Amino acid sequence: MSAGYWLGVDLGGTKILSGLFDDDLKLLARSKQPTSAEGGPTGVFGRIVQGVEAVVKEANIDPAQIRGMGIGIPGQIELGTTRVKFAPNLDWRDVDVKPLMPASWRWPLVVENDVRMGTYGEFAHGAARGAKNVLGVFVGTGVGGGLILNGELYSGFNGNAGEIGHLVVHWRQGTDLEAIAGRRHMMKRAKDILDDAPKRVRKEWKGIDLGSVRSSQLAEYYQKDDPIAVQLVDDAARALGAALGGVVNFLSPEVIVIGGGVTGALGETFIERIWEIAQRYTLPGAANGVKCVSASLGDDSGIIGCAAYAKANAPLRAAEVA
């Protein structure tokens, strides 16, 4: 099969990243559009079209040379299809993406969960390159994950494999990992803690809209040893560590890649803390040789993963639509 080009689109809650790659998955052009759920799925896909057209124009290539496209969507995908079962941040339910494609787009399309695509990107061209068994954990607004087992993306029977954020870490209360380590939930907990905090502590947070606190602001407070931020971050590290320790015992990954906005803002010490705690919960020797590393592709992990996954699956998809 002749060389061609590949498209990767990372559809996030606030922004859409589009990338065009050559056959070696070298990034040739990149574009960013606001997501905006206005106009529903049709409106959002219209902005995806803008991004794709922008990168095709920038790279000055013939669209006929595009051999496949992958889209990462923050939600549940019906296994082996282009149908989104549920994407809460977009308020999508039972949306088939393929009919939204312009008629001129003749290339095969693959659709997957966005965090699984981020994990695939780190596996294919990032911090986990060369490994066969990889766990990706992305800590941001929420907590998502992805699994590579024996060199293949693993989606499981119903397509939900890798959803580590919904792993229950407090069985009596039914508290899941995301409720402790996801930034949105951390800020809800911050309000509860502040309500009972000393006046001098409350003063530091006065006037701050907790619902709008970004990862960088949380990291800034943490680095100043603010007691609220320290408690939130330490609780997150402990919960993540306990969850990862259990996963190491259960799946024995070779590499654990930790990424996401919260991780990026807090830096390597956060990952070191998580891994230190994780090893307290592993069986003797279970963590030997296991690497726990930070994601290396940044915001591009999703578009790289989508393009790489489209390339890995394009021969099958092309045969299916032929």
Side-chain angles (χ1 to χ4, degrees):
M1 190 178 287
S2 60
Y5 300 93
W6 305 92
L7 287 164
V9 176
D10 184 6
L11 173 56
T14 58
K15 65 180 183 296
I16 302 168
L17 294 181
S18 304
L20 180 71
F21 300 81
D22 66 14
D23 209 43
D24 295 320
L25 293 177
K26 177 183 176 182
L27 181 63
L28 303 177
R30 187 177 185 274
S31 179
K32 180 168 70 172
Q33 275 73 36
T35 299
S36 177
E38 183 181 348
T42 302
V44 172
F45 209 90
R47 288 179 279 282
I48 290 176
V49 171
Q50 292 175 10
V52 169
E53 290 179 345
V55 295
V56 170
K57 181 178 180 180
E58 182 182 338
N60 193 29
I61 67 152
D62 181 355
Q65 293 179 285
I66 296 173
R67 286 175 45 202
M69 173 179 176
I71 301 180
I73 294 177
Q76 296 172 295
I77 312 301
E78 186 175 310
L79 195 61
T81 75
T82 57
R83 186 177 296 277
V84 182
K85 292 190 290 186
F86 180 44
N89 290 339
L90 300 170
D91 196 25
W92 287 8
R93 291 181 183 272
D94 197 28
V95 174
D96 191 353
V97 174
K98 192 167 186 178
L100 301 176
M101 289 176 60
S104 59
W105 289 12
R106 310 299 290 269
W107 49 79
L109 172 69
V110 292
V111 178
E112 252 296 355
N113 172 267
D114 61 335
V115 180
R116 280 202 284 269
M117 289 294 88
T119 299
Y120 197 86
E122 294 292 340
F123 156 72
H125 287 275
R129 189 170 188 173
K132 293 293 185 183
N133 297 284
V134 180
L135 169 64
V137 181
F138 288 77
V139 186
T141 304
V143 178
L147 283 171
I148 308 293
L149 298 181
N150 297 321
E152 299 286 341
L153 181 71
Y154 182 71
S155 298
F157 176 62
N158 282 321
N160 293 313
E163 290 284 1
I164 193 170
H166 299 291
L167 188 70
V168 174
V169 292
H170 195 309
W171 66 272
R172 284 189 183 276
Q173 298 177 5
T175 305
D176 64 18
L177 180 59
E178 183 171 282
I180 300 174
R183 190 184 72 245
R184 180 186 291 124
H185 288 281
M186 290 168 76
M187 290 304 104
K188 289 180 180 178
R189 292 179 60 235
K191 182 181 184 305
D192 294 336
I193 298 169
L194 280 165
D195 286 344
D196 195 40
K199 185 176 180 179
R200 61 178 177 79
V201 175
R202 297 199 306 270
K203 184 179 179 181
E204 292 295 320
W205 291 80
K206 187 177 181 180
I208 292 179
D209 178 6
L210 295 176
S212 301
V213 170
R214 303 181 65 83
S215 298
S216 57
Q217 290 175 283
L218 176 63
E220 181 182 339
Y221 271 75
Y222 177 73
Q223 288 157 6
K224 293 193 300 185
D225 287 329
D226 175 85
I228 304 298
V230 168
Q231 181 175 338
L232 292 171
V233 171
D234 192 56
D235 284 350
R238 289 175 180 274
L240 285 160
L244 292 189
V247 172
V248 168
N249 291 334
F250 185 60
L251 289 177
S252 190
E254 181 183 353
V255 178
I256 300 170
V257 179
I258 305 182
V262 170
T263 304
L266 292 170
E268 290 293 332
T269 56
F270 184 56
I271 295 175
E272 290 168 3
R273 177 68 169 151
I274 293 168
W275 186 232
E276 173 201 347
I277 293 167
Q279 291 176 84
R280 300 176 190 174
Y281 295 95
T282 57
L283 293 168
N288 289 354
V290 179
K291 296 178 181 178
C292 185
V293 298
S294 61
S296 64
L297 300 176
D299 281 350
D300 287 345
S301 62
I303 57 173
I304 292 171
C306 287
Y309 191 67
K311 181 177 180 181
N313 288 273
L316 175 62
R317 294 283 170 165
E320 287 176 347
V321 299

